[in-house]
C-alpha cells in the first residue's frame, strides 16, 4: 500500500504556466502570483514556472471589463471591427468587452446574434459578450437562450443607429426581460426638437434636466422591478434619481465643452459633453458611480468632419479608459482600490462572470502599468478610426497584458490567445459549447 505524504501531494501538483513575481497587491503585501489553466492557483512565495515575469516597478492590476463598446464590423468596418476593436481593448488593459447590438443591421434575431458571436470568435483578441437589441418585436426568449448577455442598450432616446422605444414599448419590454430574469441596459435621455448646430446646442437639446426626467420615466415604466443598468450617465442629477446600477464614461468625467471649439463635431456624442460645471458635479457622485465604461463608439475622421448637424454621435475610448484613470491614481486623485472596483469587480459582478483578481481561483487576467505617464497621441492607439478625443491628455498604458494566464500583449506585440465568449445566464447550448474562440 502506498501512503502519500503532504509533501508528495505538493510535488504532484502541476507546475504553474506563469508566475508574476514581486507583485505589489493593492492594500496587501508583495507576493508572487502563480497561474495555471487561466486561474490564479497560488499567491505567496515564488514557485518554479514555465514563464516568470518580474513585476518590480509596475502597478499590477486585474484586467478591466468594459460593459459598453460598439465593435462595429460588417458594413461599418471602416470605423472598427472585432480585430482592431479588441486590440484597442487589450492595449488599454481591457480583456473583456460587452458589444452593443446597434450594428448595421442590428442584432434582432438569434441568427444575427450567432453570426456576431462567430465573427468575434474568429477575430477577437479579447474575451467578449454580446447584448441583444431591444425593439418591440424582438424574440426575447430566443435571444436569451441564444446567449445574449443582457438586453440593450435599449434606446429610450434617439442616438446613432438604434431604434427608439416609446414609454409603452419600454414598459412591455421590461416586463418581458424581467420574466426571463434578464438585465435591461438603458440609454436614458430626453431630446427637445431643434437643430444641433454645435456642442452648446447639442447640450441644450439633450439637457441635463431631460436626462434626469428620462431616468424617472424609465422607473415609471418598470413597476415589475426588472433589473436595470443605466448606460453612460452624464449628470449628477440624473444619477441621483437612478435606482439601478450606474455607468459613467471617461469622456463625461474628463471632457467639457468649454475645453474645445464649440463647432467641433468630433466631440459630438450622446449624451452630450457637458459644461465644466456639470463635469465637476459629476465627480461629486464618484462614490455612487458603480462602474466606468467607455461607450467606445468609433466613427471615421471623414464622418466626423461633416457639418455638425450631419456628423454621427460617438467617440472612441476603450483604449484610453483605464490609462486616463491610472494617471489620476498616480496623481492621488482617485485610489487604486476604487479604480479596480469600478473597472474590474463591479462590471464582472453585473455580468455574473468570474472575477479577475489576485486570490486563488480568480480569473488570471492582468495588466502591468509603468509608474509614469505619457501623452495620448492618436498614433499610439489601435482603433481603426484613427483619432481620439483625448489627444494631449496624460495617461498610463499597460506594457504587458495577460488573458487567461497567457501573455497577449507585451511591448506592443500582440498574440491572439484565450479569448472567450461569455454567454448570458439564459444560454442553452445547441450543437456546440461556448468558449470555443
Ligand atoms: C453610439 C454609437 O455611435 O453607436 N453613439 C453615441 O453617441 N454614444 C450609440 C450610443 O451608445 O448611444
Ligand atoms: Zn447610448
Amino acid at each position: 500500500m502506498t501512503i502519500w505524504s503532504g509533501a508528495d501531494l505538493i510535488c504532484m501538483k502541476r507546475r504553474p504556466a506563469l508566475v508574476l513575481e514581486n507583485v505589489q497587491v493593492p492594500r496587501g503585501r508583495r507576493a508572487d502570483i502563480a497561474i495555471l489553466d487561466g486561474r490564479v492557483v497560488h499567491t505567496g512565495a515564488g514557485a518554479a514556472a514555465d514563464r516568470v515575469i518580474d513585476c518590480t516597478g509596475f502597478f499590477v492590476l486585474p484586467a478591466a471589463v468594459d460593459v459598453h463598446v460598439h465593435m462595429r464590423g460588417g458594413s461599418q468596418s471602416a470605423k472598427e471591427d472585432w480585430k482592431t476593436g479588441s486590440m484597442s481593448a487589450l492595449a488599454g488593459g481591457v480583456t473583456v468587452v460587452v458589444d452593443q447590438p446597434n450594428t448595421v443591421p442590428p442584432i434582432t434575431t438569434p441568427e444575427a446574434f450567432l453570426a456576431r458571436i462567430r465573427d468575434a470568435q474568429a477575430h477577437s483578441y479579447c474575451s467578449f459578450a454580446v447584448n441583444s437589441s431591444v425593439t418591440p418585436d424582438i424574440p426575447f426568449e430566443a435571444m436569451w437562450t441564444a446567449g445574449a448577455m443582457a438586453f440593450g442598450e435599449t434606446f429610450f432616446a434617439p442616438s446613432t443607429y438604434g431604434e427608439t422605444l416609446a414609454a409603452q414599448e419600454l414598459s412591455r419590454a421590461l416586463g418581458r426581460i424581467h420574466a426571463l430574469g434578464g438585465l435591461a441596459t438603458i440609454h436614458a435621455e430626453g431630446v427637445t426638437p431643434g437643430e444641433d448646430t454645435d456642442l452648446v446646442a447639442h447640450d441644450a437639446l439633450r439637457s441635463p434636466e431631460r436626462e434626469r426626467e428620462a431616468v424617472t420615466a424609465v422607473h415609471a415604466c418598470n413597476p415589475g422591478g426588472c433589473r436595470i443598468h443605466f448606460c453612460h450617465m452624464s449628470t449628477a442629477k440624473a444619477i441621483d434619481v437612478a435606482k439601478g446600477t450606474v455607468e459613467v464614461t471617461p469622456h463625461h468625467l474628463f471632457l467639457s465643452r468649454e475645453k474645445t471649439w464649440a463647432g467641433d463635431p468630433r466631440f459630438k456624442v450622446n449624451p452630450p459633453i457637458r459644461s465644466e460645471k456639470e463635469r465637476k458635479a459629476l465627480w461629486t457622485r464618484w462614490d455612487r458611480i458603480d462602474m466606468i465604461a467607455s461607450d467606445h463608439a468609433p466613427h471615421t475622421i471623414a464622418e466626423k468632419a461633416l457639418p455638425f448637424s450631419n456628423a454621427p454621435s460617438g467617440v472612441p475610448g476603450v483604449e484610453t479608459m483605464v490609462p486616463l484613470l491610472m494617471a489620476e491614481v498616480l496623481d492621488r486623485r482617485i485610489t487604486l482600490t476604487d479604480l479596480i472596483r469600478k473597472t474590474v469587480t463591479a462590471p464582472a459582478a453585473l455580468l455574473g462572470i468570474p472575477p479577475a483578481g489576485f486570490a486563488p481561483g480568480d480569473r488570471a487576467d492582468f495588466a502591468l502599468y509603468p509608474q509614469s505617464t505619457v501623452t495620448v497621441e492618436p498614433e499610439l492607439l489601435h482603433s481603426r478610426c484613427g483619432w481620439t478625443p483625448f489627444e494631449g491628455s496624460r495617461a498610463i498604458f499597460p506594457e504587458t497584458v495577460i488573458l487567461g494566464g497567457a501573455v497577449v500583449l507585451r511591448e506592443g506585440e500582440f498574440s491572439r490567445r484565450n479569448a472567450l465568449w461569455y454567454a448570458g445566464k439564459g444560454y442553452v447550448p445547441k450543437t456546440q459549447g461556448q468558449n470555443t474562440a
Side-chain angles (χ1 to χ4, degrees), residues 68 153 155 187 232:
H68 193 138
E153 61 178 294
F155 288 100
H187 175 140
H232 46 48

Side-chain angles (χ1 to χ4, degrees), residues 96 105 133 157 182 235 244 260 291 316 340 376 398:
V96 184
S133 283
T235 58
T260 174
M291 66 197 76
I340 293 172
V376 177

Side-chain angles (χ1 to χ4, degrees), residues 68 70 102 153-155 159 186-189 231-232 270-271 295:
H68 193 138
H70 302 265
N102 66 336
E153 61 178 294
T154 307
F155 288 100
S159 190
I186 300 187
H187 175 140
E189 269 196 288
C231 304
H232 46 48
N270 300 329
D295 184 16

Side-chain angles (χ1 to χ4, degrees), residues 277-425:
K277 191 166 161 240
E278 287 289 352
R279 186 186 79 86
K280 287 196 172 133
L282 188 60
W283 274 101
T284 65
R285 301 303 191 271
W286 180 247
D287 290 342
R288 167 65 182 96
I289 296 168
D290 296 285
M291 66 197 76
I292 312 293
S294 69
D295 184 16
H296 177 73
H299 299 287
T300 64
I301 294 171
E303 290 165 324
K304 283 296 206 176
L306 290 168
F308 196 95
S309 327
N310 302 338
S313 296
V315 295
V318 68
E319 188 165 348
T320 41
M321 176 173 77
V322 181
L324 291 166
L325 292 165
M326 279 302 291
E328 297 295 298
V329 169
L330 195 70
D331 292 349
R332 296 178 185 277
R333 278 195 287 269
I334 62 172
T335 64
L336 202 51
T337 310
D338 274 357
L339 171 61
I340 293 172
R341 188 177 298 136
K342 292 177 202 295
T343 64
V344 179
T345 328
L350 178 77
L351 305 179
I353 66 172
F358 299 98
D362 284 348
R363 176 162 51 85
D365 289 11
F366 293 98
L368 277 56
Y369 295 85
Q371 297 184 352
S372 60
T373 60
V374 295
T375 303
V376 177
E377 302 295 345
E379 301 75 41
L380 286 178
L381 306 178
H382 298 81
S383 167
R384 184 164 295 133
C385 76
W387 66 280
T388 168
F390 300 106
E391 186 167 351
S393 299
R394 289 168 65 238
I396 306 179
F397 291 92
E399 193 233 39
T400 301
V401 179
I402 290 154
L403 168 57
V407 175
V408 288
L409 173 61
R410 187 144 169 95
E411 292 171 0
E413 290 289 317
F414 289 89
S415 153
R416 192 170 169 268
R417 293 175 66 189
N418 291 351
L420 298 178
W421 169 34
Y422 289 107
K425 63 178 195 282

Side-chain angles (χ1 to χ4, degrees), residues 80-155:
E80 194 78 285
D81 62 16
W82 274 106
K83 181 177 177 196
T84 54
S86 63
M87 288 169 91
S88 193
L90 288 186
V94 171
T95 54
V96 184
V97 295
V98 181
D99 183 48
Q100 301 300 317
N102 66 336
T103 44
V104 178
I107 309 294
T108 50
T109 63
E111 293 72 30
F113 180 83
L114 285 179
R116 187 76 179 151
I117 298 301
R118 282 197 204 101
D119 188 13
Q121 285 176 329
H123 301 290
S124 184
Y125 279 67
C126 69
S127 294
F128 55 89
V130 176
N131 285 354
S132 165
S133 283
V134 179
T135 71
D137 337 296
I138 58 145
F140 286 89
E141 186 162 355
M143 298 307 281
W144 190 229
T145 56
M149 173 53 79
F151 289 89
E153 61 178 294
T154 307
F155 288 100

